[in-house]
Amino acid sequence: MSSGYESWPFRPPHARSVDESARWWEHCHTPAGIESALQDQPFWSVVTGGTGSGKSLIIENLERRESKTSFVVRYPPTRWPGAKQCWVPSGNHLSQIMAEASISLREFFSANPGKLAILSKDQRGFLRWVIEKFSGPRSFSRWIDGFGSDQTDLFHDVVYDDIYPDTTTLKNVRDQIDELVRLVCKLGYRRLLVIVDLDESDLYQPLIWNKDEKPLEHLRSLLRLSDPTRHGGFALVATMPKRAEEKIIDSKKPLDQIKLFHIRWTLDTLREIATAHIRQAVGKADAEMTDFISESLYHEMENWLVAEYGEYT
């Protein structure tokens, strides 16, 4: 390692280079106890925790680890119903999720055109339906025009049919999820994984929402979708800020069909995390925090964390 001091371990993810990110995950990341459980958790999961507790980092690591075995679809709050940039005006959560899935599928097949040939005719029909239904006919025609004749010929006899007219009736909801899951499994994935990273600022940011929208109500309606979409090959993992958790989740009435995970750090683990970062920054594998700050200042920092956030974070 180089001598001196390097700042990259403390930079936010978007400010690190590819090499620095790889080094950070290898040397600085200390997994939260719930990360392995999330990887194997079926159905819906919600990760809660205070500000700065690492919710987004857990989601990022889940996506990083699962991307080869799960077909991952990100569903940011900026695409929710009521958001200014939602994909389907007046559409519900399932409409927006299906729109995001259709975009991810287009990107996947554009990068892997040979995979289109393994789909059955019914699956190609569903693929055309999900693209046209939630992104429009021109989106499908623009997308298919980007392929060679080997791929376009596969859709020669596949006409658009509105096979699922709505995203509200239980049968249509479950059938859409089932077809989507079967399609991604045909591509070699074990499941469809939807990821929702909800920051507290997302709920109160006027630039995101149309006038008079109530984001907390949209969060409630998203969570109510867990039962209609229940499928062994469909999982959703969402983060939820503490303030939203306090308003949405009643500890006496747990949410049906949803597994809750609360991030809790011990003081020893936080010290381990800080030490790992310092060692990378100074290039010394045996460096300790007390090499740079006094023990009394360290304890003052501990007390400040609890006073500021109510817990170690």
Side-chain angles (χ1 to χ4, degrees):
M1 289 187 179
S2 61
S3 59
Y5 175 84
E6 297 185 56
S7 61
W8 65 263
F10 302 101
R11 293 180 195 146
H14 68 270
R16 293 194 294 260
S17 68
V18 173
D19 177 64
E20 288 168 350
S21 291
R23 291 167 63 191
W24 189 92
W25 284 110
E26 182 179 359
H27 299 292
C28 299
H29 177 59
T30 300
I34 67 175
E35 290 191 27
S36 58
L38 274 176
Q39 197 167 6
D40 298 320
Q41 178 67 26
F43 311 125
W44 286 45
S45 307
V46 171
V47 179
T48 67
T51 303
S53 59
K55 298 184 295 296
S56 294
L57 189 64
I58 286 173
I59 287 288
E60 182 183 352
N61 193 35
L62 178 67
E63 181 176 5
R64 190 177 69 94
R65 295 169 64 180
E66 283 287 289
S67 59
K68 290 184 179 179
T69 59
S70 298
F71 191 88
V72 178
V73 174
R74 277 194 163 265
Y75 182 42
T78 52
R79 303 291 186 237
W80 286 15
K84 294 178 180 179
Q85 296 183 341
C86 69
W87 291 117
V88 185
S90 302
N92 60 11
H93 276 294
L94 183 57
S95 297
Q96 314 301 337
I97 291 172
M98 295 299 281
E100 287 286 355
S102 77
I103 293 168
S104 297
L105 286 168
R106 275 183 278 162
E107 292 173 348
F108 173 87
F109 286 115
S110 293
N112 304 274
K115 292 285 188 178
L116 283 168
I118 70 175
L119 302 181
S120 68
K121 182 179 177 180
D122 281 348
Q123 287 177 323
R124 295 196 300 274
F126 174 78
L127 180 60
R128 178 165 189 170
W129 172 82
V130 77
I131 294 173
E132 289 202 24
K133 176 80 170 182
F134 299 104
S135 299
R138 294 289 296 181
S139 292
F140 177 80
S141 61
R142 286 197 308 270
W143 173 71
I144 203 68
D145 282 347
F147 293 104
S149 59
D150 287 349
Q151 286 75 44
T152 56
D153 286 350
L154 293 169
F155 289 86
H156 180 70
D157 59 347
V158 177
V159 297
Y160 177 77
D161 179 16
D162 193 9
I163 48 181
Y164 302 114
D166 65 69
T167 54
T168 53
T169 57
L170 182 60
K171 184 178 188 308
N172 281 343
V173 169
R174 292 202 165 165
D175 284 352
Q176 287 174 60
I177 294 297
D178 186 59
E179 289 224 40
L180 187 56
V181 168
R182 288 176 183 274
L183 192 152
V184 301
C185 288
K186 189 69 170 285
L187 300 175
Y189 295 98
R190 69 185 182 98
R191 64 175 178 173
L192 174 71
L193 174 62
V194 176
I195 288 180
V196 181
D197 190 9
L198 177 64
D199 188 82
E200 187 167 347
S201 62
D202 294 329
L203 295 171
Y204 307 101
Q205 174 54 266
L207 293 176
I208 293 178
W209 305 100
N210 291 316
K211 186 179 180 182
D212 298 328
E213 290 293 340
K214 298 179 179 179
L216 279 174
E217 289 304 314
H218 291 303
L219 175 58
R220 287 190 179 94
S221 67
L222 174 64
L223 298 178
R224 286 196 291 268
L225 195 58
S226 62
D227 181 53
T229 61
R230 188 174 177 83
H231 191 292
F234 177 75
L236 183 145
V237 178
T239 63
M240 184 185 295
K242 193 171 185 179
R243 281 177 62 184
E245 177 191 4
E246 292 168 350
K247 294 179 180 180
I248 295 287
I249 298 176
D250 184 345
S251 60
K252 296 178 182 179
K253 282 182 66 179
L255 292 165
D256 291 339
Q257 316 293 350
I258 297 177
K259 177 74 173 178
L260 292 177
F261 295 90
H262 187 82
I263 300 173
R264 291 183 174 87
W265 296 102
T266 66
L267 190 57
D268 287 343
T269 303
L270 290 179
R271 190 164 195 165
E272 179 185 342
I273 293 170
T275 300
H277 282 70
I278 288 172
R279 287 174 176 174
Q280 290 300 305
V282 300
K284 291 180 63 178
D286 59 349
E288 299 291 342
M289 285 187 66
T290 49
D291 295 339
F292 305 95
I293 61 173
S294 67
E295 194 72 34
S296 61
L297 178 58
Y298 173 75
H299 289 301
E300 284 183 31
M301 291 167 61
E302 293 175 5
N303 295 333
W304 175 83
L305 277 174
V306 176
E308 184 72 14
Y309 297 107
E311 59 186 339
Y312 293 122
T313 186

